[in-house]
Amino acid sequence: DAGITQSPRYKITETGRQVTLMCHQTWSHSYMFWYRQDLGHGLRLIYYSAAADITDKGEVPDGYVVSRSKTENFPLTLESATRSQTSVYFCASSREVGTDTQYFGPGTRLTVL
Amino acid sequence: KQEVTQIPAALSVPEGENLVLNCSFTDSAIYNLQWFRQDPGKGLTSLLLIQSSQREQTSGRLNASLDKSSGRSTLYIAASQPGDSATYLCAVNDYKLSFGAGTTVTVRA
């Protein structure tokens, strides 16, 4: 039972490059989420998805793009990376949004030079 | 906008002492409140989930209470152990999770 996985675990890129962070879950959960964690800001929601082909913005969506063509995958793309996007990114999933806990992946540490 | 505050930001106790971690939130219209544990460089592990209709939830040495009317939750960890050292995060679910900044706990052997 792999659960929820993220790749890569570590990534270094340069300003202006496009970067895609991958998230995969094996539970067929309907809901998937992307968060970023920064010192001084805690965890903040970037985007979430209620089902395949349904996505919505969270608190800090600017500069990010998501897609969800399959239930199990929820990639996050930084279209043109900036230094302010240096962060730890967590993907999460849940069966329901109102009653179920969210299960988190191990995170991707992204550094933008 | 939901604001979640955790006090204290850090806590250091000797092994065996009980831990009390506090969480407050501004909007009581929530589905549930969750407590997570995060170890350094790791992801989040769910500890307890309290539905909005519940007053408390227990799992082993952990007990969490919820008072929606006052916008407060407390996580109690009984008889702390060095392995309890971690950052504890509370998150309020009003469709989206809003997290507090966390309480970093150190249990001294």
Side-chain angles (χ1 to χ4, degrees):
Chain A
D1 186 355
I4 184 165
T5 56
Q6 294 183 234
S7 62
R9 293 293 315 280
Y10 303 90
K11 177 73 177 178
I12 299 175
T13 190
E14 296 178 339
T15 301
R17 290 190 180 267
Q18 184 179 79
V19 177
T20 296
L21 309 183
M22 304 302 294
C23 178
H24 177 78
Q25 51 104 354
T26 60
W27 296 305
S28 299
H29 284 171
S30 295
Y31 290 85
M32 296 188 74
F33 309 83
W34 274 107
Y35 297 88
R36 59 178 290 174
Q37 186 175 36
D38 305 286
L39 283 174
H41 290 281
L43 275 144
R44 293 178 292 174
L45 181 65
I46 304 171
Y47 268 96
Y48 66 100
S49 169
D53 297 323
I54 301 175
T55 62
D56 205 351
K57 296 177 180 178
E59 184 183 352
V60 288
D62 293 344
Y64 303 96
V65 174
V66 293
S67 63
R68 196 163 175 211
S69 58
K70 292 184 177 181
T71 300
E72 60 267 31
N73 297 324
F74 191 37
L76 176 74
T77 298
L78 288 66
E79 294 185 296
S80 177
T82 65
R83 290 195 182 89
S84 66
Q85 293 178 309
T86 293
S87 185
V88 180
Y89 291 84
F90 289 101
C91 179
S93 72
S94 67
R95 288 176 302 175
E96 298 291 339
V97 69
T99 57
D100 195 23
T101 191
Q102 289 188 19
Y103 298 89
F104 281 74
T108 294
R109 184 174 293 274
L110 176 68
T111 301
V112 183
L113 302 176
Chain B
K1 180 178 179 287
Q2 182 77 260
E3 300 287 344
V4 183
T5 304
Q6 289 188 248
I7 294 173
L11 190 59
S12 179
V13 300
E15 183 177 2
E17 193 164 301
N18 296 333
L19 289 164
V20 180
L21 308 181
N22 297 300
C23 173
S24 62
F25 49 95
T26 53
D27 188 344
S28 62
I30 65 172
Y31 288 111
N32 57 56
L33 183 143
Q34 300 176 39
W35 284 94
F36 293 89
R37 169 184 172 138
Q38 186 175 29
D39 293 290
K42 304 288 187 182
L44 278 67
T45 300
S46 179
L47 297 174
L48 290 168
L49 182 151
I50 312 175
Q51 300 293 352
S52 62
S53 59
Q54 296 177 314
R55 294 300 297 261
E56 66 178 307
Q57 192 68 255
T58 298
S59 176
R61 294 185 294 112
L62 277 59
N63 174 275
S65 66
L66 174 64
D67 184 344
K68 252 194 353 173
S69 60
S70 66
R72 295 184 182 184
S73 177
T74 302
L75 177 66
Y76 301 90
I77 303 176
S80 61
Q81 304 167 359
D84 294 329
S85 298
T87 297
Y88 293 83
L89 298 163
C90 80
V92 175
N93 185 356
D94 54 9
Y95 191 83
K96 305 167 194 174
L97 282 185
S98 297
F99 283 84
T103 295
T104 298
V105 171
T106 302
V107 180
R108 307 187 303 272

